Amino acid sequence: MRFKDEHPELFRQLHPTRNVGVDLDSIPNSSHEMLWWRCPVGHEWRDTPLQRRSHATWKKGDPNACLYCVAPGCIVHSCGHRRLRPSEATFRVLTHPCDKCEVKEHTHLILDALDGSAGAAVRVLDDSPHYALFCGTAADTVEWWSEIFPLVEAYVVRMVSVYVAIATVEHRPTLSYPTSSLLGACMLRILDALPQNCREEMHSAVPEDAGHFRHTYLPGHHHGEIGWALKKLGFDILDTPLDGDIERRVQFCEQQRFTATGELPPVDLADRHYPAFTHLPRDREGGAVSELRRFRPKQLPPRITAIRVTLDESAPAAPADPLGRTHIGYAPELTPQELWERGRGVWKFRADHVAASTIVLIVSDKTIVLVGSITGMTLHRSGLAILGEPLPDHPLIGRPDPLHTPNPLAHGVITGEVARSGRKPDPGHLSPPPRRLSPLPRTAS
């Protein structure tokens, strides 16, 4: 519905000369576009059609009321956004935009400066011994590093360029974050995209003070809303397609073991704000080696990949139980072996989740009553059963369920102090399980 047809009286209040370049006749009824308005008395201000037609309390029942004429306690910014203060009698018009519009304008300037920052970002990489160590370690660890590296370096240049652009726009002499911390954050992001079997050795090349990118969070000394504003403008802090880009290249290289034809799959970087730069092999091994004498790697937190099953109270098993059991469920007088037989199946787990896990947690009343190892699985019509052994002395027994979810089945990664000592985790410590390249042996029933 057009605003012109739905609210003709308000439409006549649109400013006749200040909305240059806007087709007022086609403006929709719920438009969020900021336009200029002029009331019959001659007051001029900016507002959106959606706000203009609203039945706000300050209008006192008149949807056509002018903000200036009614004059509630209000602060109006130059961008048109306002903050109502009914308890005040003042009406102030400020010459600067609101905080959100300032951040948005600031972020536009950063993205505009991004392409011109690529050269400075490459120089940062050339001068960094930490980046040289990371690339050298990767060349010895990651099998297809030469094919992956151009994409990896493009990502690192992208993130360093953001910080160079921020420093340029804010007139800073240096980056707003230590170089080792920024590059360390990029390294951790790249490790998340690499195959699981090479992450631990690669982690030894990550500096101790590495930062971390979390969705829209850019670590550093700058306005905290910049990350959100960048995301709204199309710049993904984590660049989530990086995982798929690297995975497709690795899969292609694996296929080339058996065929010599084909080309590397193209990577579409359109609309991902990758600055234009020429990728060239560089000798970074000789740069500032003395700094690496004080290098301390970031400690890899302990990780346990687990699945969890929740048992109800003890009850008779079905007549045709696939495992030949007479009872299922939890009872306090059961031995570890008896409890294991009741807890290992039969469950509707995904086979890849079981294959990616090392232990199974058997839980009753939100408390771990038994931990078992996982060596394989058997498939049945009603689900799958886990092969392994009970671990009656495991330190997690008696602790609260670390994978607490309403679902009786769960899988995840236990990290940090929880994995080390079995204490109750912070919800932020849980993350999706890593992929496992080689499946566990399975037998059909």
Side-chain angles (χ1 to χ4, degrees), residues 57-352:
T57 304
W58 64 265
K59 294 183 179 181
K60 301 177 181 179
D62 180 12
N64 303 324
C66 164
L67 186 67
Y68 286 73
C69 294
V70 177
C74 184
I75 293 177
V76 181
H77 294 273
S78 62
C79 58
H81 292 119
R82 58 179 180 263
R83 287 182 292 165
L84 294 175
R85 294 183 175 179
S87 60
E88 298 183 13
T90 58
F91 183 87
R92 289 179 288 165
V93 179
L94 305 181
T95 58
H96 58 81
C98 67
D99 291 344
K100 288 186 176 180
C101 288
E102 279 189 338
V103 171
K104 185 177 180 180
E105 181 180 353
H106 189 66
T107 306
H108 271 295
L109 295 176
I110 293 172
L111 290 182
D112 290 342
L114 190 63
D115 282 339
S117 303
V122 172
R123 288 193 294 272
V124 170
L125 301 186
D126 287 342
D127 296 338
S128 171
H130 298 98
Y131 189 63
L133 176 64
F134 182 80
C135 294
T137 305
D140 297 333
T141 306
V142 184
E143 184 175 4
W144 304 110
W145 179 251
S146 58
E147 285 76 13
I148 298 173
F149 181 55
L151 182 61
V152 167
E153 184 158 78
Y155 169 76
V156 179
V157 171
R158 172 182 186 263
M159 296 310 304
V160 176
S161 293
V162 173
Y163 281 81
V164 174
I166 291 175
T168 301
V169 170
E170 297 181 353
H171 305 289
R172 296 176 179 268
T174 59
L175 301 184
S176 61
Y177 206 48
T179 304
S180 61
S181 301
L182 172 58
L183 294 180
C186 295
M187 295 171 190
L188 292 176
R189 171 71 184 96
I190 293 165
L191 290 189
D192 289 339
L194 292 178
Q196 176 70 24
N197 57 358
C198 61
R199 292 182 190 175
E200 186 169 353
E201 187 170 352
M202 285 290 297
H203 205 280
S204 64
V206 179
E208 184 183 34
D209 63 341
H212 196 71
F213 299 122
R214 298 176 182 173
H215 301 291
T216 58
Y217 173 62
L218 272 174
H221 306 290
H222 47 69
H223 200 295
E225 296 296 325
I226 287 181
W228 284 106
L230 285 171
K231 188 175 181 65
K232 291 179 180 178
L233 294 176
F235 187 100
D236 188 349
I237 298 301
L238 290 180
D239 187 25
T240 50
L242 183 65
D243 289 348
D245 293 340
I246 291 180
E247 184 175 3
R248 282 191 295 272
R249 290 203 166 203
V250 171
Q251 289 176 350
F252 175 84
C253 293
E254 289 286 349
Q255 294 170 359
Q256 294 309 293
R257 295 180 186 273
F258 312 105
T259 174
T261 60
E263 298 179 354
L264 278 171
V267 178
D268 183 11
L269 303 181
D271 302 323
R272 285 165 61 179
H273 295 282
Y274 270 72
F277 82 105
T278 303
H279 170 73
L280 296 173
R282 295 179 174 85
D283 178 18
R284 297 190 174 94
E285 298 299 328
V289 178
S290 60
E291 291 188 27
L292 293 180
R293 293 174 184 170
R294 300 187 298 272
F295 177 81
R296 297 181 61 183
K298 189 178 182 67
Q299 295 297 317
L300 183 64
R303 297 166 59 92
I304 300 177
T305 310
I307 58 175
R308 185 261 287 142
V309 300
T310 302
L311 299 183
D312 293 328
E313 294 182 359
S314 181
D321 184 75
L323 302 182
R325 299 170 297 183
T326 59
H327 287 77
I328 59 174
Y330 173 73
E333 68 274 7
L334 295 176
T335 66
Q337 189 62 46
E338 292 171 336
L339 184 56
W340 170 249
E341 289 300 322
R342 295 191 181 192
R344 69 184 187 90
V346 176
W347 305 105
K348 292 187 180 297
F349 269 118
R350 283 174 43 179
D352 60 328

